[in-house]
Amino acid sequence: MKKYYIVFDEYERGIIINALNDKRNALIKEGRYTDAVAEVLLKVINAKQKRFKIRYTED
């Protein structure tokens, strides 16, 4: 399985969590399966936080 790493700040992370939760709630309301959305939501919530520096270079 190929893994991808994405960088978000706290604001962006909050937006993603809220959007996934809204989608999950809409699926529950429609009586549909929420497994995929719930799995991604948990991955975002439980993702490890890592601090790093970004260096800009001129070519």
Side-chain angles (χ1 to χ4, degrees), residues 10-57:
E10 283 300 314
Y11 178 74
E12 293 167 331
R13 183 177 177 268
I15 289 172
I16 292 167
I17 289 171
N18 286 334
L20 288 168
N21 197 41
D22 289 346
K23 181 63 177 176
R24 184 179 161 273
N25 289 338
L27 291 171
I28 290 171
K29 198 176 207 180
E30 295 172 9
R32 297 172 60 194
Y33 290 107
T34 62
D35 299 349
V37 176
E39 184 179 328
V40 175
L41 180 60
L42 286 174
K43 283 184 179 184
V44 172
I45 290 171
N46 296 324
K48 293 180 185 177
Q49 293 183 16
K50 182 177 181 181
R51 295 186 184 269
F52 58 91
K53 293 182 182 178
I54 299 174
R55 288 190 285 166
Y56 296 97
T57 59

